[in-house]
Amino acid sequence: MKPNKILIITYYWPPSGGPGVQRWLKFVKYLPEFGWKPTVFIPENPSYPIIDKTLAEEVPKDLEIIKTKIWEPYQIAEFFGKDNKKFKAGQFDVGKNQSWKSRISIWIRGNFFIPDARIFWVKPSVNFLKNYLKENHFDALVTTGPPHSLHLIGLELKKDFPNLKWIADFRDPWTEISYYKHLKLSKSSDEKHRVLEQKVFENADITLATSFTDAENFRKRGARAFCITNGFDGEEKMGEKTSNPKFTLSYIGVLEQLRNPEILWKVLNDIIIENEDFRSGFELKFAGRIDGKILENIENTELKNSIKNLGYLSHGEANLEMQNSDLLLITNFPDESSKGIIPGKIFEYLATGNPILSFGPKDADVQKILDQTNAGKHFSYDDFTSLKSFILEQFNAWKNGNRSSKPQEIERFSRKNLTQKLAEILSSSID
């Protein structure tokens, strides 16, 4: 029996690093086991914010990859300031950290590049893929965003190939993501974003969300939406956990200003001042790209003496740091509209068996996962007293060697099981 064929359009692909590349890299790895043969379409000369060459080793040797060139206007943003390089990863300065140059750059980004700066890849990709699809049969087409401009490629191709099943995968929401309100959009620009988003919801045969809340919100907008979360790869070797000489709280990944847990830094600083045991036996470890303004603010506190900043690490090295931590930190945007965002790293955190400290809005999907798996505790950004008690509780348990509890029922978040769920949804759509 011949496998079904699926064409995946993605911007992020090895050697890109960061969480954006992981989702479809893993789906591609396991889809053939469930009767689907993938082909991947990517930009030939992308401007990735993070590079991790080790991820190229995970790309299947027999995978067909097709490419076309892309032009990205990030040189314009960088002309207004070096900090605007963060735009490539959807980040920017906010509040008191925002200079007049940043404000101009954000306004240009929001109002001139709709939905994002990869919009210039849409037309050449559509022209190329129209010819490619006439000569090559596929049963399904995937566009994955952000960048959400890739969904416009799917929207155009669906017009010429109405029988081709189109899956619009939203790794993050479009107009409902927290930083959307910081884009300084004019009324007409906001309307353009929302009209384009609605067209995607109405025309895609399947819309995928990475959280329960996002899937429900998409269904309310008319999408045939399903939730397939991100996950962990059970075939990846985590290595043996080593004992730390200090109680180690680690943040792995990118931390921007909009997800900065200032309350945590204040709590840790308080405990360091008050508790000599904690001061001598605690380490805050960063592995990834931490916004410079966050580090500058911490440098003005007693906490600065407890920091170990490793910088960006390869995926394998990052997993090892997760494994060798005593408490793992995850943060989300503080407002209620972000309660459906589930950062991808939480699943790799779960795989380590180490307790998780989470920040975000109340009743967030992350909180549901932590409660269901007994893997950690979730806090809002204003719960100072409870947070302080939790950290001291974790520290004392570590000091006394009483860390024996493990997360429960996490196999449903394995990449292989999630790919099986995806294959079942895809197969039902073409029956």
Side-chain angles (χ1 to χ4, degrees):
M1 183 176 176
K2 293 181 67 175
N4 294 310
K5 295 180 67 178
I6 183 168
L7 177 62
I8 299 157
I9 301 174
T10 179
Y11 177 83
Y12 293 104
W13 194 252
S16 171
V21 70
Q22 298 285 330
R23 182 171 172 85
W24 283 95
L25 179 61
K26 299 299 184 180
F27 281 148
V28 163
K29 175 180 177 179
Y30 290 113
L31 274 170
E33 294 186 34
F34 301 104
W36 285 85
K37 181 181 179 182
T39 297
V40 176
F41 176 68
I42 59 175
E44 184 177 319
N45 55 322
S47 182
Y48 292 141
I50 300 173
I51 299 295
D52 184 348
K53 294 182 179 179
T54 66
L55 290 177
E57 299 168 8
E58 297 190 38
V59 178
K61 301 296 187 233
D62 60 346
L63 177 68
E64 182 180 5
I65 300 177
I66 51 179
K67 306 176 183 180
T68 60
K69 290 186 176 181
I70 185 173
W71 180 78
E72 303 174 72
Y74 286 107
Q75 286 182 335
I76 298 173
E78 289 170 26
F79 171 79
F80 286 97
K82 292 182 179 180
D83 281 350
N84 289 333
K85 289 182 179 181
K86 292 182 284 190
F87 278 16
K88 295 178 184 179
Q91 303 162 31
F92 39 80
D93 292 335
V94 295
K96 62 185 179 182
N97 296 321
Q98 198 176 89
S99 67
W100 68 268
K101 289 183 178 180
S102 289
R103 289 195 293 271
I104 292 174
S105 301
I106 292 166
W107 183 82
I108 292 173
R109 181 252 192 254
N111 293 280
F112 281 80
F113 306 122
I114 298 175
D116 50 64
R118 277 83 180 205
I119 186 65
F120 300 99
W121 197 46
V122 173
K123 187 174 181 179
S125 295
V126 169
N127 292 337
F128 175 84
L129 290 172
K130 279 183 180 179
N131 292 324
Y132 183 80
L133 289 170
K134 288 175 183 176
E135 299 174 0
N136 298 271
H137 169 76
F138 285 88
D139 300 283
L141 168 77
V142 172
T143 55
T144 178
H148 295 306
S149 53
L150 271 64
H151 296 312
L152 305 187
I153 299 174
L155 190 64
E156 289 301 311
L157 292 175
K158 185 65 177 177
K159 295 176 184 177
D160 281 41
F161 302 91
N163 295 324
L164 181 63
K165 299 301 179 182
W166 171 30
I167 298 89
D169 175 56
F170 284 78
R171 300 191 315 279
D172 287 319
W174 185 334
T175 60
E176 295 304 318
I177 197 163
S178 282
Y179 65 71
Y180 181 80
K181 65 178 179 289
H182 294 282
L183 292 178
K184 305 183 186 300
L185 299 175
S186 67
K187 185 177 180 180
S188 62
S189 294
D190 175 55
E191 185 176 352
K192 287 177 184 177
H193 276 279
R194 296 183 185 279
V195 167
L196 289 172
E197 180 185 42
Q198 190 63 34
K199 284 183 178 179
V200 172
F201 287 150
E202 292 174 355
N203 288 277
D205 296 282
I206 293 169
T207 299
L208 295 181
T210 57
S211 75
F212 323 118
T213 298
D214 285 348
E216 180 60 30
N217 289 339
F218 295 168
R219 284 191 285 269
K220 290 176 182 177
R221 299 278 300 277
R224 184 172 178 240
F226 299 85
C227 173
I228 299 183
T229 67
N230 290 307
F232 65 89
D233 194 340
E235 293 186 0
E236 287 185 356
K237 294 181 179 180
M238 299 296 292
E240 292 295 322
K241 180 174 174 60
T242 59
S243 297
N244 293 318
K246 293 187 176 183
F247 175 67
T248 303
L249 167 61
S250 296
Y251 183 90
I252 314 293
V254 176
L255 182 59
E256 70 265 42
Q257 294 169 34
L258 288 172
R259 295 187 296 111
N260 179 22
E262 292 182 2
I263 186 173
L264 175 60
W265 315 141
K266 291 176 182 177
V267 165
L268 291 173
N269 194 60
D270 263 24
I271 301 175
I272 285 170
I273 292 171
E274 298 168 358
N275 189 316
E276 186 176 342
D277 266 2
F278 190 86
R279 180 166 63 250
S280 61
F282 170 71
E283 183 173 72
L284 174 60
K285 187 179 290 185
F286 291 123
R289 193 175 62 202
I290 313 303
D291 190 283
K293 297 291 194 304
I294 296 175
L295 292 174
E296 284 178 21
N297 291 334
I298 293 176
E299 280 294 316
N300 294 322
T301 69
E302 294 299 316
L303 180 57
K304 66 181 179 181
N305 298 316
S306 301
I307 291 177
K308 186 174 184 179
N309 189 359
L310 302 176
Y312 183 78
L313 301 179
S314 70
H315 182 61
E317 291 170 327
N319 278 347
L320 190 60
E321 290 298 333
M322 293 180 199
Q323 182 73 16
N324 291 331
S325 298
D326 301 298
L327 183 61
L328 292 164
L329 171 62
I330 193 166
T331 69
N332 200 349
F333 304 104
D335 47 290
E336 187 175 347
S337 64
S338 299
K339 69 179 184 178
I341 295 176
I342 305 176
K345 73 168 73 64
I346 191 174
F347 303 104
E348 292 177 326
Y349 280 9
L350 287 174
T352 69
N354 295 324
I356 299 168
L357 168 60
S358 168
F359 288 93
K362 292 179 180 179
D363 301 318
D365 285 6
V366 166
Q367 183 175 359
K368 294 175 186 175
I369 291 174
L370 293 179
D371 289 346
Q372 290 168 2
T373 58
N374 192 34
K377 194 161 183 180
H378 180 82
F379 292 88
S380 63
Y381 281 89
D382 57 2
D383 200 352
F384 189 96
T385 303
S386 297
L387 174 60
K388 190 173 183 178
S389 296
F390 174 77
I391 291 173
L392 284 170
E393 177 186 299
Q394 293 294 314
F395 173 69
N396 289 327
W398 168 83
K399 189 169 65 172
N400 297 324
N402 297 329
R403 310 292 296 280
S404 57
S405 62
K406 292 285 185 181
Q408 304 166 356
E409 300 179 5
I410 66 171
E411 278 305 310
R412 59 194 169 117
F413 299 118
S414 75
R415 294 285 189 180
K416 190 170 184 177
N417 287 338
L418 293 167
T419 306
Q420 182 177 12
K421 181 179 179 181
L422 171 64
E424 290 169 355
I425 293 172
L426 291 172
S427 297
S428 67
S429 73
I430 64 171
D431 288 344

